[in-house]
Amino acid sequence: MLAPPATDADSEPAPYSAPDWKPTPPPKTVPVSEVEEEAKEPPVREFDSMAEAVLAPDSGAVPPDGAGGPIAEPMARINAAVKQGRIEEAAALAERTVAEASASLGDDHPDVLRLRELTAYIAYLATDVLRSFHLSLELARLRHRLGDSRGAYGNVQSAAAAWRAVRDPIQGLHLGRDLIAVWSELAASEGPAADDLDQLEQARNRMGRLAERARVAAAGEPPRPQ
């Protein structure tokens, strides 16, 4: 009789051999650059902080008993006027409050700077784009001198928004030169302007289009489609 084939149980166990040693891979780490990218603040855009402040649910509530500092009450009244669409009244109140606060607190006091930002925003809402532009660009210069790169760039963005609303090409060129000079100075240093160079390039491209429109207008040619 033929013997049954050998099974695993019947076979001689093979001698134990330890697997080859392989080093444990190090834990996956995130490059520092990626961590910094994740932690980076959101991009600065025109009138962001002002719009958020004005549209806040309690922005028009007058604080009791002078709470919130000397400008809290007029700021609340200005915000309430803006929310209710009384833009001319808000603009007049803002201009008056800025003058009074500047005299008592100084031009570079944080509350005065915020009031001036609000005044520029209201001028923009009132379609007084030249006033809004000059106020915003002046604030950008001041904040740059004070070392507030993010605040300065926010003001540059606000000035750019007003500048884009200027339709006259000659006027746009004059304003654009001032804007890009300040903008380029900010972009030359570390900060949000240096991280957002595409916006500066778009402004320079608009200057080229304005120059072409000015040339066409001076030559009496029909305007080309943009």
Side-chain angles (χ1 to χ4, degrees):
M1 180 183 294
L2 294 175
T7 64
D8 290 342
D10 297 330
S11 60
E12 187 73 19
Y16 173 76
S17 176
D20 294 337
W21 179 83
K22 295 181 180 179
T24 302
K28 185 178 180 181
T29 59
V30 179
V32 173
S33 60
E34 292 184 16
V35 174
E36 292 175 349
E37 186 70 25
E38 291 175 0
K40 189 180 294 183
E41 292 184 275
V44 179
R45 292 296 176 259
E46 65 272 7
F47 299 118
D48 272 355
S49 61
M50 283 297 98
E52 290 175 3
V54 170
L55 296 176
D58 60 347
S59 65
V62 177
D65 301 325
I71 70 164
E73 181 176 345
M75 181 80 85
R77 296 189 189 283
I78 295 167
N79 289 342
V82 172
K83 291 173 76 171
Q84 294 167 16
R86 296 180 281 115
I87 303 301
E88 290 186 5
E89 178 185 337
L93 181 55
E95 295 281 0
R96 184 167 65 250
T97 305
V98 166
E100 294 171 354
S102 297
S104 60
L105 301 175
D107 289 338
D108 57 354
H109 189 279
D111 286 346
V112 175
L113 297 180
R114 189 161 182 80
L115 269 170
R116 291 170 69 182
E117 279 186 330
L118 180 58
T119 304
Y121 176 55
I122 294 171
Y124 182 76
L125 294 178
T127 67
D128 187 354
V129 293
L130 293 181
R131 176 69 173 154
S132 181
F133 174 87
H134 289 298
L135 284 172
S136 297
L137 198 61
E138 184 181 353
L139 275 169
R141 292 189 182 103
L142 178 55
R143 279 211 159 102
H144 182 47
R145 289 197 299 271
L146 294 173
D148 180 4
S149 61
R150 187 171 180 83
Y153 187 47
N155 296 141
V156 160
Q157 286 286 333
S158 298
W163 173 61
R164 287 191 292 269
V166 174
R167 296 305 174 196
D168 180 80
I170 300 297
Q171 192 173 47
L173 284 171
H174 288 308
L175 299 177
R177 291 188 189 103
D178 292 341
L179 172 66
I180 289 177
V182 176
W183 201 333
S184 299
E185 188 174 349
L186 291 180
S189 306
E190 290 186 5
D195 297 334
D196 200 16
L197 293 178
D198 286 348
Q199 293 288 319
L200 177 56
E201 188 60 28
Q202 289 177 24
R204 288 174 173 151
N205 290 340
R206 183 174 191 250
M207 287 290 285
R209 295 193 299 272
L210 288 172
E212 174 62 15
R213 285 172 53 196
R215 185 196 66 78
V216 168
E221 300 175 13
R224 299 178 183 179
Q226 296 291 321

